[in-house]
Amino acid sequence: KYMEEEKKINVHQIFWYFVLFSMLGLAIETLYARFTMGIWESRKGFIWGPFCPIYGVGGTCLIILLNKVDKKNYFKLFILGYLIGSVVEYLLSYCIEAIYGARFWDYSCVGKDINGRICLLYSLFWGFLTIGMMRFVKPRMDKLVNKISGKIKWPIEIAFALFLLIDMLVTIWSINTYENRAIATYYNETIETKNNNSIISKIENDYFTNERMEKTFPNLRTKDREGNQVYVRDLLKNNP
């Protein structure tokens, strides 16, 4: 009975898995870019805060689905992590493009890919990450979450969840603004605004600047009017 209770995952754990794995994933992505490309580059998924949601969603799904798998069976964890991680990443890539109208990653240049959404190399990474996550990271996260007092746990989680929701909505808004501006610039068009002095226009012009957006989302891709996948930053630099 004790083991059954221990294996159960509650809503508090799910929430913190998402938050903590989003932060840990950003650290992994940032260090990977540093060691493979020699640059410090933003790999954020939200405009505010140190979050890379693909890892938050992926890590949480893996824990929920693999929670009862023997943590010492590395081969099984690797295979299941490889398969589940790949499916989750593919679905998230599709959903993110549907929501944001843009792609945060494209593996077409890596090779052995499926529609640029997943590839063999990074699917293998999911397998290795799953072993480390389930065997070493999750137990420590559980201890950390359990230390949060029950009296303050709900207020903290509700406040944090509201912040993340607002963060996501503002991110969608900012990326949409950035894309429209880039497309208009590339095709030498003028974006019509009803009132340049409105709060919305001021935020779009003064806060969602090209410099800020390129620095925050340097690898953001979109489709031009010919249907080609292009970096948004390149649309602002090149005119046909």
Side-chain angles (χ1 to χ4, degrees), residues 55-67:
Y55 284 89
V57 175
T60 302
C61 288
L62 285 166
I63 287 177
I64 292 173
L65 295 173
L66 303 180
N67 192 45

Side-chain angles (χ1 to χ4, degrees), residues 165-212:
L165 176 60
I166 294 171
D167 198 1
M168 182 186 71
L169 294 175
V170 173
T171 300
I172 295 172
W173 177 19
S174 67
I175 288 177
N176 183 258
T177 299
Y178 183 42
E179 285 183 289
N180 290 339
R181 186 191 298 137
I183 291 291
T185 300
Y186 186 72
Y187 291 101
N188 293 312
E189 297 173 349
T190 301
I191 299 178
E192 295 183 3
T193 56
K194 294 181 178 179
N195 185 0
N196 288 324
N197 294 320
S198 69
I199 294 177
I200 291 178
S201 294
K202 285 185 178 296
I203 292 174
E204 292 178 345
N205 296 328
D206 299 337
Y207 189 76
F208 301 151
T209 62
N210 293 339
E211 293 75 16
R212 181 189 297 275

Side-chain angles (χ1 to χ4, degrees), residues 6-124:
E6 187 181 42
K7 288 180 179 295
K8 288 183 179 179
I9 297 176
N10 59 51
V11 66
H12 300 286
Q13 290 173 299
I14 291 174
F15 175 78
W16 288 110
Y17 289 152
F18 172 78
V19 172
L20 295 174
F21 279 120
S22 292
M23 298 172 71
L24 181 60
L26 179 62
I28 292 173
E29 283 286 326
T30 302
L31 291 174
Y32 181 79
R34 176 62 179 174
F35 288 121
T36 58
M37 298 187 293
I39 59 173
W40 292 108
E41 183 180 70
S42 171
R43 295 300 180 92
K44 295 168 61 174
F46 289 159
I47 193 167
W48 297 324
F51 307 112
C52 187
I54 170 64
Y55 284 89
V57 175
T60 302
C61 288
L62 285 166
I63 287 177
I64 292 173
L65 295 173
L66 303 180
N67 192 45
K68 295 184 179 181
V69 174
D70 182 3
K71 308 304 183 293
K72 295 182 180 179
N73 190 335
Y74 293 165
F75 179 75
K76 189 172 183 179
L77 285 175
F78 177 84
I79 295 299
L80 290 174
Y82 168 85
L83 294 173
I84 295 173
S86 299
V87 171
V88 170
E89 185 171 18
Y90 191 96
L91 292 176
L92 279 176
S93 173
Y94 185 86
C95 292
I96 287 172
E97 186 172 3
I99 294 171
Y100 289 90
R103 284 195 182 192
F104 280 73
W105 66 88
D106 190 321
Y107 298 134
S108 299
C109 59
V110 178
K112 294 181 174 61
D113 65 290
I114 300 179
N115 299 325
R117 300 186 188 280
I118 58 174
C119 70
L120 177 62
L121 177 62
Y122 288 93
S123 291
L124 292 173

